[in-house]
Amino acid sequence: MSLTESQSLRVVVYEGEGSDAMNAEARFDTMTSLLEDGFAVTRTNGRQAVAPADRTSLLVLGRFPDGQAPSFDSGSDQAEVSVANIDQQEPAAITDMVRAKRESLAAFDHGAWKPWFPVIDYDRCTNCMQCLSFCLFGVYGVDDDNKLQVQNNDSCKTNCPACSRVCPEAAIMFPKYRTGPINGDRVNAADLNREKMKIDISSLLGGDVYQMLRDRSEKAKSRFSKERNPDKALNERKKCLTKLAKAGDIPEEVLMSLPEPDEIQRRAEEAAAKAEAAIEANAKNN
Amino acid sequence: MANDTRVLFCNCTYAQVVPQSTKEGVLRKLCESEVSFDAVADLCEMSARNDPALKRLADEGPVKVVACFPRAVKWLFSAGQAPLNREQTQVINMRTDSVEEASAALFADELTPNLPEDNRPPLAGSETKETS
């Protein structure tokens, strides 16, 4: 989902001329409360540069003597400006008031989704399309110039960094991952053995990862039909998936939520075809 | 710190990857200072959502971004259609720096650009520390 056309709200804690400054503790508590609730907040005393206004609605908060706020000009004719006196108000009450303002504007409510998605380092990416052919969830695609793109952030499986582990150039980051270089830390020579990592993952399952998943699942199915023991089949699949989870640091719940073998195959083939087409097109253009 | 240098603080609200004590410590220092600043809940979310606010945060002159790894910050802004100006951006990394290190870099008069250079992938150990 893009916010390009959505309404959003920017909170400004104003402590310039015509207002009384907050004490540091109250300022910290207010900022923290608002940030934890997903708001973008600007603190300004009017003497130093802050980001300029754009079309975003502004809610100016301040401690105004006798409740008389100075008039504010955002400098943007697109931005709606409203003002609220927060003198004597506790941070929680301030946040409630700001939340109500957000609702009245029908502005975007942040935080409903943990922002887990791949970020491409195009200084490193060679457009090899390994990630595109690996991902079963349609996160990747190519642009009009057949350059790799992240197209569906929302389809990415939370906490799964598997595609970054198959990237031979360590070009895929998940900034909220715990360790480097996937978290954006610098890439060292050892990290460039990503191709090796990919082979390791494959060889762990005796070849193509998805093929192995399919085979295992088929075996489990056939065993199920012979033995009529669903628990055994499920355990077999779990064993295989646990190995894969360890090798790729893929959350078990992601693996366990994989679709049925036929659907895995269909998606894998579709992704591989997309990748192949993009590689061919790039080869022609170069 | 020069008056034309902006400060942008990322609270990394939706994950626990920045040590809480560092995040709180740096924000507290900012709140105790006279410095004006912009703070956002989570740069990752803004990038993922193509939040137009990224553009206003990236566009206007020198900026010190208090967040995480410079390589991640560079490409988060880029993915959000708001590339940062390499010559005018310093990223202070709260994942690796202590409150004291981060604050020293933040309140220093000079801005030390440290975004990775375009098309020159650095290898760790081949350059000086990039964090502050």
Side-chain angles (χ1 to χ4, degrees):
Chain A
M1 182 199 169
S2 168
L3 291 185
T4 317
E5 302 300 327
S6 301
Q7 177 67 266
S8 54
L9 177 65
R10 175 184 181 187
V11 182
V12 177
V13 175
Y14 177 77
E15 298 182 272
E17 207 172 310
S19 72
D20 294 334
M22 300 168 86
N23 69 51
E25 197 60 32
R27 189 181 299 128
F28 172 78
D29 290 344
T30 302
M31 294 293 290
T32 300
S33 177
L34 290 168
L35 289 170
E36 291 296 322
D37 217 50
F39 291 102
V41 193
T42 299
R43 179 240 174 159
T44 179
N45 53 25
R47 293 189 292 276
Q48 198 183 5
V50 292
D54 50 18
R55 66 172 179 81
T56 306
S57 298
L58 298 175
L59 174 57
V60 182
L61 309 177
R63 297 177 59 207
F64 304 114
D66 305 322
Q68 292 298 307
S71 66
F72 292 98
D73 178 7
S74 70
S76 163
D77 51 9
Q78 292 178 291
E80 178 198 314
V81 182
S82 49
V83 181
N85 191 358
I86 56 168
D87 199 16
Q88 309 292 327
Q89 287 201 43
E90 294 295 317
I94 295 170
T95 302
D96 284 346
M97 185 242 299
V98 175
R99 210 181 283 137
K101 181 69 183 175
R102 174 170 64 193
E103 279 167 25
S104 75
L105 288 169
F108 185 73
D109 186 0
H110 297 263
W113 166 72
K114 178 178 176 178
W116 180 271
F117 61 104
V119 179
I120 309 294
D121 177 345
Y122 285 103
D123 287 339
R124 307 196 70 87
C125 177
T126 60
N127 239 3
C128 73
M129 307 293 165
Q130 298 266 11
C131 49
L132 195 159
S133 58
F134 180 82
C135 178
L136 284 179
F137 303 104
V139 172
Y140 295 97
V142 291
D143 64 13
D144 292 342
D145 298 322
N146 288 298
K147 188 178 168 188
L148 180 79
Q149 255 188 348
V150 177
Q151 290 185 338
N152 297 301
N153 288 322
D154 292 303
S155 300
C156 193
K157 297 295 173 189
T158 304
N159 297 329
C160 177
C163 56
S164 66
R165 291 186 171 266
V166 302
C167 175
E169 300 296 333
I172 300 175
M173 296 174 278
F174 286 87
K176 298 205 184 303
Y177 191 66
R178 59 184 183 280
T179 55
I182 295 173
N183 61 11
D185 199 355
R186 309 187 76 171
V187 179
N188 61 43
D191 296 317
L192 290 179
N193 281 335
R194 288 293 146 187
E195 189 61 25
K196 184 170 175 291
M197 168 68 83
K198 178 173 179 277
I199 292 164
D200 285 345
I201 292 175
S202 298
S203 62
L204 176 76
L205 297 173
D208 178 79
V209 172
Y210 298 122
Q211 183 60 48
M212 182 50 79
L213 285 175
R214 288 194 295 275
D215 293 349
R216 289 278 177 152
S217 192
E218 285 304 320
K219 270 188 200 168
K221 256 189 190 170
S222 112
R223 199 169 297 129
F224 170 68
S225 61
K226 282 175 195 161
E227 301 172 12
R228 299 195 177 280
N229 183 345
D231 290 342
K232 223 172 184 180
L234 186 62
N235 284 341
E236 184 69 15
R237 191 178 187 203
K238 270 186 182 164
K239 219 188 275 175
C240 163
L241 296 177
T242 304
K243 274 188 186 176
L244 185 60
K246 270 189 191 160
D249 199 14
I250 306 170
E252 200 179 325
E253 60 270 22
V254 173
L255 288 170
M256 295 311 287
S257 69
L258 282 172
E260 288 302 300
D262 287 352
E263 178 62 9
I264 291 179
Q265 185 163 20
R266 190 191 66 74
R267 290 192 199 178
E269 282 168 4
E270 192 180 283
K274 257 196 221 172
E276 207 171 305
I279 290 169
E280 270 176 30
N282 284 328
K284 271 185 202 162
N285 291 337
N286 290 333
Chain B
M1 185 166 53
N3 276 352
D4 65 340
T5 300
R6 290 179 297 116
V7 171
L8 168 60
F9 175 88
C10 173
N11 194 54
C12 196
T13 297
Y14 307 123
Q16 281 81 47
V17 289
V18 172
Q20 187 72 18
S21 56
T22 309
K23 208 164 74 170
E24 282 183 12
V26 175
L27 183 59
R28 195 174 286 280
K29 296 264 185 198
L30 268 171
C31 288
E32 287 166 355
S33 76
E34 291 297 312
V35 172
S36 295
F37 61 96
D38 291 290
V40 296
D42 200 300
L43 279 175
C44 285
E45 191 201 38
M46 296 174 79
S47 172
R49 297 293 180 220
N50 276 327
D51 192 331
L54 279 176
K55 199 156 172 54
R56 73 164 181 252
L57 295 166
D59 268 359
E60 295 276 319
V63 61
K64 292 189 181 186
V65 183
V66 191
C68 56
F69 293 100
R71 188 165 76 101
V73 171
K74 171 179 175 173
W75 292 109
L76 279 170
F77 272 85
S78 179
Q81 313 301 319
L84 290 160
N85 181 329
R86 186 179 176 276
E87 303 304 321
Q88 296 194 308
T89 305
Q90 177 177 2
V91 178
I92 296 163
N93 185 350
M94 292 191 291
R95 288 187 76 159
T96 57
D97 289 359
S98 65
V99 174
E100 291 70 30
E101 289 170 326
S103 304
L106 176 58
F107 296 115
D109 282 339
E110 71 280 8
L111 180 143
T112 311
N114 65 347
L115 286 182
E117 283 185 53
D118 290 344
N119 302 314
R120 288 194 186 175
L123 285 178
S126 63
E127 290 178 17
T128 52
K129 193 181 177 191
E130 70 179 3
T131 51
S132 58

